[in-house]
Amino acid sequence: MRITLYTRDSDETVALGERLGSLLGPNDVVALRGDLGAGKTTFTRGIALGMGLDADIHSPTFNLIHEHQGAMPLYHVDLYRLENEVDVETLGIDEYLYGGGVSVVEWAERMSGLLPPDTVDIEILSGPDDLRTISINCSQARIVEGLRMESVDA
Ligand code: ADP
Ligand code: MG
């Protein structure tokens, strides 16, 4: 099931991420795709808020994975600096994906073969200006219904 939503500034993207974050449960994986500056990290900031985490979410510069502890941990993965999919396997990513927390993966296309089948797949398209088109593809009815109920489609 696909839902397409639009945001007009970064606050709206945070708010959308927050709604998704409040719907996520253990072992859920969110794959974020989109160009540099599209809003993936901004969206992740919202997810953390929705999970009730007081986390400092920023683009990891050196580490590919940032762990944020909480009632349900958030594993923030950013594969921008990853050279190839083989490197992902050496990260031991499965321990995160199936470790009971929520995993959010920026540049998820770089490990597409390793993502669980029920991954929430999100593509953010940028422009014109501050407009973002956010397409959410999700097979989990619980999440889709939650997003629909509070939908703010433009
Ligand atoms: P990415 O992680 O995809 O590289 P970031 O979230 O780090 O992107 O940066 C997005 C940039 O775009 C920020 O500077 C943010 O302020 C800006 N921006 C402008 N409009 C939006 C919007 N509607 N949603 C998200 N970010 C936006
Ligand atoms: Mg980023």
Side-chain angles (χ1 to χ4, degrees):
M1 288 159 274
R2 178 185 290 278
I3 310 172
T4 300
L5 300 153
Y6 303 90
T7 65
R8 287 161 296 192
D9 56 36
S10 53
D11 286 350
E12 287 190 359
T13 297
V14 171
L16 182 58
E18 191 171 352
R19 286 198 275 123
L20 176 61
S22 71
L23 298 165
L24 295 173
N27 294 339
D28 278 334
V29 178
V30 178
L32 293 174
R33 297 182 288 111
D35 291 339
L36 206 59
K40 301 179 295 299
T41 301
T42 304
F43 191 86
T44 305
R45 207 163 276 141
I47 290 177
L49 283 173
M51 290 171 62
L53 295 177
D54 178 24
D56 174 23
I57 303 290
H58 55 273
S59 298
T61 46
F62 183 71
N63 294 320
L64 292 176
I65 302 178
H66 278 200
E67 279 187 58
H68 302 281
Q69 291 305 328
M72 190 167 53
L74 169 64
Y75 307 120
H76 179 203
V77 183
D78 188 320
L79 301 179
Y80 182 58
R81 283 179 174 74
L82 192 81
E83 300 292 335
N84 57 57
E85 211 165 276
V86 175
D87 291 349
V88 175
E89 289 164 20
T90 66
L91 282 176
I93 200 95
D94 282 6
E95 282 180 40
Y96 294 96
L97 299 187
Y98 303 103
V102 165
S103 297
V104 176
V105 187
E106 298 191 42
W107 300 98
E109 59 270 42
R110 295 183 185 181
M111 61 170 284
S112 51
L114 297 168
L115 292 168
D118 58 355
T119 294
V120 182
D121 180 72
I122 299 180
E123 183 175 34
I124 307 179
L125 289 174
S126 172
D129 302 317
D130 289 353
L131 186 74
R132 298 292 187 272
T133 303
I134 302 179
S135 298
I136 304 174
N137 223 323
C138 181
S139 60
Q140 300 192 59
R142 163 178 64 90
I143 294 173
V144 174
E145 295 313 319
L147 285 172
R148 278 229 179 87
M149 261 166 35
E150 298 182 80
S151 181
V152 286
D153 307 56

